[in-house]
Structure formats: structure tokens, C-alpha cells
Amino acid sequence: EPASKFDPWYNQPNQPAWLASLNVSFWDPGVATQNSKLKSIQYIISANGVITSAYIVQAYGSTTYDTRWSLPWSTLMNGSNNVYVSANDMALNQVNNALFTFKKDVISPNYENKATGNMALFSTWYGLSNVPTWLTTIDVRFYDQGHSGLATLNYGVSNISSGLAWYVVSNSSRGSPTMDTPWTISWSVLTNGVNDIYVSINDVALNNRLSTVLFSIKKDITPPSYNSKEIPASPTFSKWYAKDPQLKFDVDFTDYGGSRLKDIYYTISNNATTNVFIVSTLSNNYNKTTLNADWKVSWNLLSEGVNDIGVSLNDYALNHVATDNLFTIRKDITSPTISSNVTAN
């Protein structure tokens, strides 16, 4: 048999057909009419400290044996199987020969997920201001108990917007029974939204293991946005008010990055040069994608004079956006005074 047949590792779907037709010849030397002839031939398998054997032929009684014979797949063990043959003649002379080593692995590699010890890591939204440093120390370990050793290790990132893509964990563990070294998930391959993480493992015998979702990474690098439908040049904003005009404002807020709106504020800057800056909460821990309801500015927070109104908002990934002046509210609650120099008689 050519040596190339014995180099690969074989698994269950890849059982070699040649095992059913081994071409090994046996004979009893000497003059054909004067030797005792072959009596029995058997194969012997040594693997993992266990020895098994079975007869190829018994009570044969002929000088040569050229019939092809089979080595049942089921008799081979996981690991390296050293295959021998043993032949006896009628005089009980015996010969043993090593034939080849057959490598079998029908056990899929596996993994151990130790990365979920701190579940708070996976409930947090991450943005550009808080890129997770723990992405460089992912503790998911790999092992192969079928003896062929690990081959390819990949992690998958699945996102509803971008589908499933695969990336290399390590190329340095081929043939090794384990890979315990912490590895890295690249921040750049994660997309906005919830990224589900998988692993896929092949061993050298091409057995595969595909994990379920190991954990999820929440990424949002898109700042929230606002859409003001107010017209700064409107008479509403050039008019002076002595009492609360009960105005409502149409400025909508949206978060497109996935983490949702968290804190929404309106800001009040009075008379510009005085640097008076008041922040009032429009919504705390809002936890929704949009806020479209019209809203009011508290009359009591406005100072006398020109009040420039802006907005400031954050999402749960700590992305921030703010604007200084969307419109103006003019407040004057001080009555005019009269000064007279006329003296009564």
C-alpha cells in the first residue's frame, strides 16, 4: 500500500474505501510439496495501550494467501492505530510484521466558555469613548480529545444588519490538543447594534464544532440626532413675553446607532455674554429610539432678557451631541417706571 494513504487523519464521514481491500500477500517459503503450509493469519491492532486482534483466515492449508482482506472501521480506535499481521504455518512457526499506522478521529473538538464570568460586560453599550479593553483577552478555550489535534479556530460575528462573518482566532495551534491562550475580537469587525459571538472549530481530521451564541457585544458609535422643525425667524421668537406663553416646541430626537436615547436636555443661555447656562432635563434614562412629542421650556428657568434655547443629548453608548441655539425666548417681567420732575402746588 502506498505510504500516502496513511498520512491523513480519517473521520466518520471520510472512512477510506481501501480499508475494505487491503493488498498484503502471505506465503510459506520452501518447496511447495515439502513445507507445512500456512495455517492461520490474523491482524493485530495496538492503540492507546489496548491490543485487539482478529483472524483473516484459519485452517488455511495452502502455501500462499493473496486474497484481499478488510480491516473493519469499527475495530479501529480513536488515535494512532498500529496495525500488524501475524502468520502461522502448520508446524506452528510464526512471523509478525508491522504494516502501517492508521490515524482515526471521530470526536469533534470542543470549547469551554469562561468569558461570561462578568455578565455586566455584555449588557453595557460601547462607543468611541469607552471601547472595551477586554476584547483583547477573550477567555474561550479550545480542546480536541480525538487525538488528531486542533486545526482551524474561528470566531463568528452575527449582526442583524450585516449578517454572519467569520474571523481567525489563531493559526498557531495546529496539531495541539488544547488552546488556552486568551485571544482578541477586533473592535473594527463589530457593527452598530448587538453583535452575537460564535466559535467554529475544526480538528486535523476535519471534525467540526459550531457553538451556540457565546455572548453578545453591544456597539454604537453613531451619535444621537435631533430635528428641529422650529423656524428661528418666526414671530414667536422675536416677541417679548411678560408671562408664560405656554409655548410647545417641535424638536424631535432619534438614535440610529442601536443603544437608544438615554438623556435629553434643553439648554438655556441668557444674554450670551453673561455665560449663564442652565440645563433642564427633558428626559432621563429614556431608553427608546425616538422622542417625537412636543415639549415645553420651564418659564421659571428663563431669565429676563434674551434666552437662547439649545438641546443636548446622550445615548446609552455615551455618544453625545449638542447645539447652542435653536430658537429664542424673550422674557421681560419688569414693569416700566415713570420718573417725573413736576412738583405739585
Side-chain angles (χ1 to χ4, degrees):
E1 299 291 345
S4 59
K5 289 184 176 181
F6 312 114
D7 291 335
W9 282 85
Y10 295 94
N11 63 5
Q12 188 74 29
N14 191 31
Q15 299 179 34
W18 55 262
L19 279 180
S21 183
L22 291 170
N23 185 14
V24 183
S25 298
F26 304 88
W27 68 94
D28 189 32
V31 179
T33 58
Q34 297 180 11
N35 59 13
S36 61
K37 298 184 175 56
L38 294 169
K39 179 183 180 184
S40 64
I41 304 169
Q42 61 180 329
Y43 64 78
I44 302 165
I45 302 171
S46 175
N48 305 326
V50 177
I51 297 176
T52 58
S53 64
Y55 282 103
I56 299 171
V57 65
Q58 288 181 279
Y60 183 56
S62 182
T63 302
T64 61
Y65 185 83
D66 293 323
T67 304
R68 290 177 177 265
W69 50 280
S70 66
L71 188 63
W73 174 259
S74 60
T75 64
L76 298 166
M77 299 180 65
N78 259 20
S80 296
N81 294 264
N82 297 312
V83 180
Y84 305 85
V85 287
S86 177
N88 296 303
D89 61 17
M90 297 294 183
L92 301 184
N93 297 301
Q94 184 180 49
V95 62
N96 299 310
N97 274 340
L99 286 187
F100 55 82
T101 298
F102 184 86
K103 294 178 285 189
K104 175 181 178 180
D105 180 358
V106 297
I107 299 176
S108 294
N110 217 328
Y111 63 92
E112 183 179 8
N113 183 9
K114 290 183 171 290
T116 55
N118 184 357
M119 293 303 296
L121 296 177
F122 310 113
S123 60
T124 301
W125 279 93
Y126 298 95
L128 294 176
S129 65
N130 64 333
V131 176
T133 57
W134 54 264
L135 288 180
T136 60
T137 55
I138 301 298
D139 192 5
V140 177
R141 305 177 184 186
F142 307 93
Y143 59 92
D144 181 60
Q145 295 179 318
H147 297 281
S148 67
L150 299 169
T152 58
L153 310 176
N154 296 286
Y155 68 91
V157 179
S158 178
N159 187 295
I160 192 170
S161 64
S162 58
L164 176 63
W166 292 97
Y167 306 93
V168 175
V169 170
S170 172
N171 285 320
S172 62
S173 56
R174 184 175 180 83
S176 174
T178 60
M179 206 291 278
D180 297 335
T181 305
W183 47 277
T184 297
I185 293 176
S186 173
W187 171 252
S188 64
V189 305
L190 304 175
T191 53
N192 271 5
V194 178
N195 297 269
D196 294 329
I197 306 301
Y198 301 80
V199 290
S200 176
I201 320 159
N202 291 312
D203 61 20
V204 176
L206 302 183
N207 298 299
N208 174 262
R209 175 81 63 182
L210 176 63
S211 76
T212 56
V213 176
L214 299 179
F215 50 83
S216 298
I217 304 171
K218 299 179 177 181
K219 178 179 181 179
D220 178 359
I221 59 173
T222 303
S225 61
Y226 62 90
N227 179 27
S228 176
K229 299 175 184 177
E230 300 295 340
I231 302 172
S234 167
T236 300
F237 305 122
S238 60
K239 183 178 179 179
W240 285 89
Y241 299 95
K243 62 179 182 179
D244 189 351
Q246 299 294 321
L247 297 175
K248 289 187 176 181
F249 305 106
D250 190 1
V251 181
D252 299 334
F253 306 94
T254 306
D255 182 62
Y256 294 104
S259 66
R260 299 187 173 191
L261 297 167
K262 183 178 184 289
D263 304 316
I264 308 169
Y265 305 92
Y266 62 82
T267 62
I268 306 170
S269 180
N270 181 259
N271 293 324
T273 57
T274 62
N275 295 318
V276 175
F277 190 73
I278 303 172
V279 178
S280 178
T281 301
L282 183 61
S283 178
N284 269 123
N285 286 315
Y286 184 61
N287 199 25
K288 293 182 181 178
T289 302
T290 59
L291 176 60
N292 294 326
D294 292 351
W295 46 275
K296 296 176 63 176
V297 172
S298 174
W299 178 253
N300 293 333
L301 293 177
L302 298 172
S303 300
E304 282 200 276
V306 178
N307 296 270
D308 294 328
I309 308 301
V311 291
S312 174
L313 53 157
N314 303 309
D315 61 21
Y316 281 90
L318 305 184
N319 299 300
H320 175 74
V321 68
T323 181
D324 293 332
N325 184 16
L326 294 178
F327 50 86
T328 299
I329 303 175
R330 301 169 187 268
K331 180 178 181 179
D332 182 357
I333 58 174
T334 302
S335 299
T337 61
I338 300 174
S339 178
S340 174
N341 293 322
V342 178
T343 302
N345 290 328

